[in-house]
Each structure stands twice: as C-alpha cells, then as structure tokens.
Amino acid sequence: MTTGGLILAVESSCDETGIAIVQDGCRIRANVVASQVAMHAASGGIVPEVAARAHLRWIVPVLDEAWAAAGVTWADIAAVAVTNGPGLAGSLLVGINFAKALAYVHSKPLVPVNHLEGHLYAAWLADEEREVQEPLFPLVALIVSGGHTFLVEMRDHLQYRLLGETVDDAAGEAFDKVGRLLGLPYPGGPAIMKAAAGATRHDVTFPRAWLAGSFDFSFSGLKTAARRVIATETDGQGTTIGEAALPEDRVAELAYGFQDSVVDVLVTKTLRAARAAGARSVVLGGGVAANRVLRDRLAEVTRESGIPLVVPRPSLCTDNGAMIGAAGARRWAAGARAGLDLDARPSLPLARR
Ligand code: KG4
Ligand code: ZN
C-alpha cells in the first residue's frame, strides 16, 4: 500500500491546536502546536467553551507557521486529514470546519482520522535518534492519554483488537486529579513526574488494581486512596494540615508512590499482553507516554523479554498534528474519504474486543 504524497493534518480535539504536513506517512515536514495548557492552568482544568474559542483564535496562525516551515504549495498536498473524534465537541468542530474549508477551496480529498489512531501511528513517524525504526506486526500497543487508557493488538495496519481498557478513569485523568489533590499545577502528569523525581524516600505504597489478571485497568481506587492519605496528613502533633500545607518533600514522596503504582500496573499488563499475543513490537503512545519513568520501565522489561519497544519522542506523544498526518496517510491510502457533512464524534471508538 502506498502512503506517498503530502498530507496536511489538523488536530483540535482537546486543548492543543495542531497542524502538520507529513510526507509518506512518516516524514514530518512541519508540525506546529499551539498549546492552551498555560491558559487552562489558571482555571485548574479545561473549560470546553474556552478551549473551542482558543482553537478558533490560533488555528490560522498555526497553519501559517506550518506552511512557512514546510515550504510546499497546495499542488503538493494530496489530502487534508482531520481528527473527527473522540474529543470535546466544540473543539473538534473548529478543526473539522477549518479542514473542510481548506479541502473545498483547494479541491482536496478530506480524510477523517480517529484521534486514538493518531496516537498509535505516532510510532511510525521517522525519528533518526531512535534505535528501532518501525513497529513490526503483530504488535501490542498501550495508549495512555488524558481521556483514554487501553491495550490493543494489531496484526496489520488499521486492524485493531481491543485487549483491555480502563473501567473508570484514564491514566492521565488520574495523574491530573491526584496532581490537584497534591496542590500541584495543571496538568498533573508532568507536575507529578517532576515532583516524584525529587523524592528522597520511596516508602509510600499505593494500591494496584490488577483486576483478576484481565488486561483492563482501574485508577479510581488509587485516586480515592491518595485522597484518604492526603486528608489524614498531620503536622506531627496530630493536627490535620490538609493539601495546601503539605510540605514539598511529602508531596514528592506521595507523587512518587502514586506514579510508581500507575507505572507498575501499566508496564506489567502491557508486557503480559505482548507475550500472550506473541508480539514482535510493543508500541507506547498518548500523552502519559511522555512520562520518563513509564518509558524507562517499559523499555527495561521489553528489552529483557527481547521485544523491541517503539515510543515516539515526548512531543509526539502529547497531542499534535503530525500523528494525525501519519494515521491520515494510511487512511487516505486505504480510500477513506469524508464529505462536507463530516461531523464531530465526541465518543468515537477505535477498537472492539
Ligand atoms: O494525549 P494527550 O496530550 O491528550 C489527550 O488526548 O487526552 O494527553 C494528555 C494527558 C494529561 O492527562 C497529562 O497530564 C498527561 O497526558 N501527561 C503526562 C505527562 N505529560 C502529559 N502524564 C504523566 N507524565 C507526563 N510527563
Ligand atoms: Zn490525545
């Protein structure tokens, strides 16, 4: 299957406005992301209405910058790919309508892309610094983001079998919620990683939800456990001090214990799934895959098992346009097309069991 040609890809499902130009499904010619993180940090989380407006504000400048960086013309573009779900309806609609307008004006095919497929296909983006160049089938992929946490098996391109998923919170959501409980800034994921790196004691242990050996995940109990521990913290004289007054070193220890629990479950289940599937590669993706401890531990256990691990660099794990370009190229080559009636699908699924 050829994935030749240039794909212009638009991503706006959550709080990053991303536009990329990707060649042959793997070479990044331009990848510009305008992040709303700083803006949402002020409110402690994403306000959907505010996110949608910020996409509207930034989408044209982001396109202009991507266009300038790629140095291409419309004649070189084969298709316009856009995330049509899952995500926030208002945010998705900004990208979808923008992509429709571009496709219509320049007479290019419009290709709908599932955001989660984008996170997966980030693993096919070329990276000179990486040892393993391309994932091999069959593979097992762990996708961990702010809204999703699941394990899939792929025996070929665009073919997915769901092995397990979270039964409650996504891993990133757990990081964000516990980050807030610890009084850390939004988003909790990077803040917890940073705080945990400063821990000098590693003796706080949080529960692990193994769910009777299934490949499903659960993180809500962990959040409850964290809340309970934090609520009972005292000043040493028996007075409860509450989250606002937690000393920095205690925050670091709790962050470490929490992160250790999440990473332990994610890594253990992924390795078990990879072995069960006879996987020739393991792929890691989604915003939480930017976590250094998760990357290192999964690298360690897959190396020991002789299964190559493919993890995009952190900036390609969090939301961006290039990943939509990589998946969009595959979809385009497979004949996927959308009309100007393409609508947002906030709960669009990727795979079934
Ligand atoms: O994939 P993503 O950018 O957006 C969604 O599709 O949800 O993922 C965002 C999530 C947030 O929950 C954020 O806290 C988490 O990824 N995240 C991290 C790290 N960087 C981002 N979690 C743990 N460690 C990190 N370094
Ligand atoms: Zn995402």
Side-chain angles (χ1 to χ4, degrees), residues 27 53 58 73 127 142 160 186 190 234 236 277 289 312 330:
R27 264 196 63 208
R53 282 188 208 192
W58 288 105
T73 68
D127 191 341
L142 171 69
Y160 312 104
Y186 172 87
T234 60
R330 289 277 162 199

Side-chain angles (χ1 to χ4, degrees), residues 13-16 115 119 144-148 171-173 175-176 187-190 193 259 286-292 317-319 323:
S13 66
C14 191
D15 59 351
E16 328 277 350
H115 179 79
H119 276 307
V144 268
S145 73
H148 298 84
E173 196 178 351
F175 267 98
D176 295 341
M193 179 174 85
Q259 179 174 262
V288 180
N291 187 281
R292 176 57 45 211
C317 288
T318 48
D319 291 350
M323 69 185 204

